[in-house]
Each structure stands twice: as structure tokens, then as C-alpha cells.
Amino acid sequence: MAKESKKTIKKHASVYANVVRQFNKAADFMKLDPEIRKILAKTTTEIIVNFPAKMDDGTIQMFTGYRVQHNNVLGPYKGGLRYHPAVDIDEVRALATWMTWKSAIVNIPFGGAKGGIQLNPFKYSDSELQRITRRFTFALGSNIGPEYDIPAPDVNTTAQIMAWILDTYLSTQPPQERQRCTHVITGKPIEAGGSLGRDKATGQGVVFTIEEWAKDKGFSLDGATYTVQGYGNVGSWASLLLKPHGSKLIAVEDVTGAIANAKGIDPDDLNVYVKKTGGVKGYVKARPIGHKTLLSTKADIFIPAALENQITAETAPLLNVKVVAEGANGPTDPDGDEILQKQGIDIIPDILCNAGGVVVSYFEWLQNKRSEFWDLEEVDNKLHKKIVNAYERVRDTVKEFKTDWRTGAYIVALRRLETVYKERGIFP
Ligand code: NAD
């Protein structure tokens, strides 16, 4: 977890409004069945819980937690939990909806959900965070479940937090049920039933999609330059996994600040520094730069891996890269998207690019259900196959519809959902 600084989190327009615009564009384009469109345009369940937790000084503080379940026609609701001051119903609704599209694109039997608590986790001790997490899990009660809704890590939530959620959930089940329920949450520590390869899975998926993009373009990743926003789970793993390709990290930003070095920043060395200090600020083997300089740094690849609405009408014109690989969810708003397209910058859209996390969460879920433990090679090979297949499906759809990559990715997801609804019909 990176250290929080005083840097303000700029929230632009409603994130959910971005999802609606993206959805409408794709639905119009593919002529989605108007009746099914009505269903997919809405979330199914929106849960807001206000719950108390005891602070270290003995006082009680109230917190607001969210869980939005968008759709489960393809399988149980699935999606991460975020701990951040900017978490609100609008953001969670958007993130839940993206999860439905993501699971559909990678062809796994999950629906979409997302949740979180509106708080700054860096203001609380570990024991306070544990009590907050346990009370939140208790407040959600049977709204989550191993065959119903399965949370996972997201911004500022770790494997340790998943372990607390697991323990709380299991402790509130009847004793004879407990051993059957470890798949109520994914992204757990290995010893507590997690999967090998889950920690790096999202970054690994990002790199697999970049490899496919490079192959398509006849572009060599050896010597290619890249910049990264966010050096947490996704940003750091994507960087670490691009290193063996001979690609060079030349600028990186997180919540503590931004740094650059045209000669290259070693992702491993930076990772050790960030783990120790909580952020990239003060890393001596690079010079400090501003946010706008980070965005305008000329590079081959930009990997946004922090928050939503970073590439907008205001900031998109600054970008000077060949491709944006969206490690984060929703880093580009629809205005930013149009500008990137006009500038000829390729986009590997979030719902494809960062789907590696949910794929390996699915593998973790399967291993728990079957009492199996796969080795890393098996996880990586299966993930690679899933991501390459999804990439190819999106690429073929882009060609078929002569459209942009985000719309192509949406069409892949919406076609699958449309088919299932048509086959099953609407009850009663
Ligand atoms: P994380 O908490 O591990 O890291 C977040 C990073 O973003 C940190 O380095 C933080 O300092 C940085 N950041 C936060 N606010 C910033 C700001 N205003 N400016 C610059 N940097 C800022 O979170 P993560 O799990 O790596 O998630 C990052 C993104 O990837 C999110 O959009 C998340 O939804 C998405 N994602 C995560 C996963 C996963 O498996 N963890 C899966 C799919 C998508």
C-alpha cells in the first residue's frame, strides 16, 4: 500500500456517467436488443451500510460501506473492495458495471460487483483497520457468499484485508459450513487459500495484452520506453514484468509525487524503495517531476494504474505515446478517449487490459472449490491463454465493426450477455 499524501484526489464528472456513455455507444453500434439493453443499463442491487467500529482510544466511529451488484446472469457477482476517501455510490456503481463486461470478455462464469468503504486507510492503525474490515464484513452479512458474491482486493486493500474478511465470514457461518466457504473471497494470502500468481495477475494480464499489441504492430518491446501512473499492485507488477522484455521505465507517479530518469528506472529497485518508504517520492536515482510533465513525457507506452478520470479533455492532448494500456479501471473518460483516437494513440481498454486479476481470482475460486493447489506455471499458462483469447476476440470484433477498441471490447461482452438472456428468457 502506498502512503497517502496531502495531494488532492481530483474527481471530475460522474464516473458512472462515463460508463453509461460507453455502454450507449456500443449498444447503438451493435444494435443491442432494446429489451436486453434496459436490463443491462441498470444495476441489480445497491447496498449501503453505515456501521460502527471501535478506535484504539476506545471511541466509536461510524463508517459508510458499499456493495453494488450489477449483473449475475453469467455467474456469481464478482469484484473488488476499495478503501479510499473518494469511494461513493456513483464510483462503485461504475466499477461494478465494468466488472460485468470484464468477466464476459474473458469468458469466465462470473457477473459484476464492486464495493468499498469511504475512508482514508492511512489514517488508521492496523488494529483499527482490522476492526473496520470485520464490522464491514459483518454488516454485509449474507449479501456476500462463495456462490453468490465474491469480493477481492482493489485500491488500498491487501491480501491481509482479504484474510480478515475470510475469517469474519467463516466465523459467522454454522461450524459444519465453514470449510466449504473459503472461496467467499479471492486475493487471499497463499497460506489462507490464495492462489499462486494472484498478486501479480493484473499486472501480468496488462503485460500479456501489451505483448499482443506489440505483435500486431510489429513493434519490439526490447528497448521500448514506458511511463506509469500508480506504483501499487498493478503499476509495480506491470513494470516488473516488462523489465525482462528489455523495456525501459522512464517516468512514474504515485500519490506521493512523480519521478523521471531518461536512462531508465529499475522497477525492482524502485519496488524495494516504495515498499520501504510508502511511495516513489525521494527516490534518488531519478529526478522529481510534476504531474503534467509525467503525462507529457514522450514514451512508447503509458500505463495508467491508479484511479479513474486521469485522461480527460484537459489532459489527453498532453500524451505523447503510441499506446495507453489501461491497468486502472476507467482512467480515460469519453472526451479523453476521443482525443486519444484523433491523436492516433492506441488504447488497450481497461475491461480487457486489466482483466488478468479477475481471471486468476476465478482460478483461486476454482482451486478452493476443488481443494486443489495449482503451481505457478499452470496459473500463468491458463491466464495467458485466457488473455490472448480475449484480446483476439476483441481485435476481430474491432475489425468486424470497424470501430475503436473500447467499443469493440464492449461489443464482445454485450453479445455474450445478449445471447444468454435470449436463451434463458425473462422470468416469468
Ligand atoms: P493499489 O492501492 O495497490 O495502488 C494504487 C496506486 O495508485 C498507488 O501507487 C497510489 O499511490 C496511486 N495513486 C492513488 N491516487 C493517486 C493520484 N491521485 N495520483 C497518482 N497516483 C495515485 O491499487 P491497485 O490494486 O494497484 O489498483 C490500481 C488500479 O487498478 C485501480 O483502478 C483498480 O481498480 C485497478 N485494478 C486493480 C486490480 C487488482 O487486482 N488489484 C484488478 C483490476 C483493476
Side-chain angles (χ1 to χ4, degrees):
M1 257 198 259
K3 200 162 68 187
E4 193 72 66
S5 80
K6 291 201 181 85
K7 188 166 167 181
T8 51
I9 307 297
K10 223 179 173 185
K11 266 207 151 181
H12 299 256
S14 150
V15 188
Y16 188 63
N18 295 346
V19 179
V20 172
R21 265 177 78 181
Q22 293 168 350
F23 171 71
N24 284 336
K25 181 176 173 187
D28 287 346
F29 219 88
M30 67 178 283
K31 298 187 174 55
L32 177 67
D33 183 300
E35 302 307 315
I36 291 160
R37 184 172 175 152
K38 288 179 200 165
I39 301 169
L40 295 174
K42 292 272 183 209
T43 58
T44 305
T45 319
E46 300 189 345
I47 300 150
I48 302 180
V49 287
N50 294 311
F51 62 92
K54 207 181 277 174
M55 300 292 100
D56 289 342
D57 65 4
T59 59
I60 297 290
Q61 201 172 315
M62 290 300 291
F63 294 90
T64 303
Y66 302 86
R67 187 72 182 168
V68 172
Q69 296 160 336
H70 172 253
N71 189 282
N72 66 351
V73 77
L74 298 179
Y77 298 113
K78 184 87 191 81
L81 293 174
R82 181 176 290 196
Y83 287 4
H84 196 278
V87 166
D88 60 16
I89 192 69
D90 177 89
E91 181 180 70
V92 179
R93 210 176 260 156
L95 290 163
T97 311
W98 279 319
M99 284 307 298
T100 303
W101 313 146
K102 211 180 289 184
S103 299
I105 289 171
V106 287
N107 224 344
I108 55 177
F110 282 146
K114 203 84 177 192
I117 308 176
Q118 189 182 73
L119 90 170
N120 178 353
F122 303 96
K123 283 192 179 159
Y124 299 91
S125 70
D126 269 4
S127 56
E128 286 171 335
L129 268 184
Q130 179 173 168
R131 288 193 293 276
I132 294 164
T133 299
R134 287 182 181 278
R135 274 307 295 240
F136 178 44
T137 310
F138 182 73
L140 287 176
S142 57
N143 290 299
I144 59 169
E147 306 293 335
Y148 180 59
D149 184 350
I150 306 120
D154 192 71
V155 174
N156 295 335
T157 52
T158 56
Q160 173 61 75
I161 290 174
M162 301 305 112
W164 291 331
I165 294 174
L166 172 73
D167 187 67
T168 309
Y169 184 84
L170 295 187
S171 302
T172 54
Q173 299 305 303
Q176 60 276 25
E177 294 295 320
R178 289 179 194 159
Q179 295 314 319
R180 295 201 291 119
C181 293
T182 48
H183 52 303
V184 65
I185 190 134
T186 57
K188 300 181 287 288
I190 306 297
E191 303 76 13
S195 175
L196 290 173
R198 175 60 185 89
D199 53 350
K200 67 165 180 150
T202 308
Q204 180 70 78
V206 170
V207 172
F208 285 155
T209 62
I210 292 173
E211 287 170 6
E212 292 310 298
W213 170 86
K215 258 191 245 160
D216 274 353
K217 298 280 164 179
F219 176 82
S220 170
L221 290 175
D222 191 7
T225 53
Y226 65 100
T227 57
V228 178
Q229 186 194 41
Y231 210 71
N233 176 281
V234 180
S236 67
W237 273 113
S239 304
L240 293 165
L241 294 164
L242 274 172
K243 184 177 160 179
H245 283 284
S247 308
K248 204 161 69 171
L249 173 65
I250 55 168
V252 51
E253 176 182 48
D254 71 6
V255 77
T256 64
I259 55 168
N261 185 344
K263 291 196 185 121
I265 297 167
D266 178 20
D268 284 290
D269 193 52
L270 180 64
N271 199 32
V272 172
Y273 178 81
V274 169
K275 291 253 153 63
K276 205 161 73 190
T277 66
V280 302
K281 191 180 173 185
Y283 182 67
V284 291
K285 295 172 199 162
R287 67 188 166 87
I289 55 168
H291 174 61
K292 284 203 168 159
T293 310
L294 178 280
L295 290 179
S296 51
T297 300
K298 184 175 182 339
D300 297 308
I301 305 158
F302 174 44
I303 306 173
L307 298 171
E308 306 89 43
N309 284 343
Q310 297 301 304
I311 305 170
T312 61
E314 192 190 327
T315 57
L318 299 173
L319 295 198
N320 190 358
V321 295
K322 292 188 173 68
V323 64
V324 174
E326 294 184 335
N329 285 305
T332 312
D333 77 6
D335 296 335
D337 219 321
E338 276 174 27
I339 294 169
L340 293 188
Q341 283 174 47
K342 279 194 199 122
Q343 292 178 165
I345 296 175
D346 291 340
I347 301 172
I348 309 175
D350 48 8
I351 49 178
L352 168 66
C353 191
N354 70 36
V358 74
V359 170
V360 178
S361 273
Y362 167 55
F363 296 160
E364 180 176 334
W365 185 77
L366 275 182
Q367 289 171 73
N368 293 160
K369 271 168 81 93
R370 300 173 181 171
S371 299
E372 286 179 1
F373 192 69
W374 303 353
D375 61 29
L376 186 58
E377 199 186 352
E378 185 172 359
V379 172
D380 280 349
N381 287 342
K382 287 188 159 123
L383 173 64
H384 185 251
K385 205 168 164 188
K386 277 274 179 210
I387 296 292
V388 172
N389 282 346
Y391 183 95
E392 287 172 350
R393 267 196 302 279
V394 173
R395 185 187 55 204
D396 294 348
T397 309
V398 166
K399 277 192 194 142
E400 182 189 339
F401 283 83
K402 295 187 181 54
T403 185
D404 60 275
W405 273 69
R406 193 180 313 281
T407 307
Y410 262 77
I411 293 173
V412 170
L414 296 177
R415 267 180 167 176
R416 187 168 167 219
L417 289 154
E418 183 183 41
T419 305
V420 174
Y421 270 113
K422 282 192 170 160
E423 285 166 355
R424 281 176 54 167
I426 305 298
F427 174 82

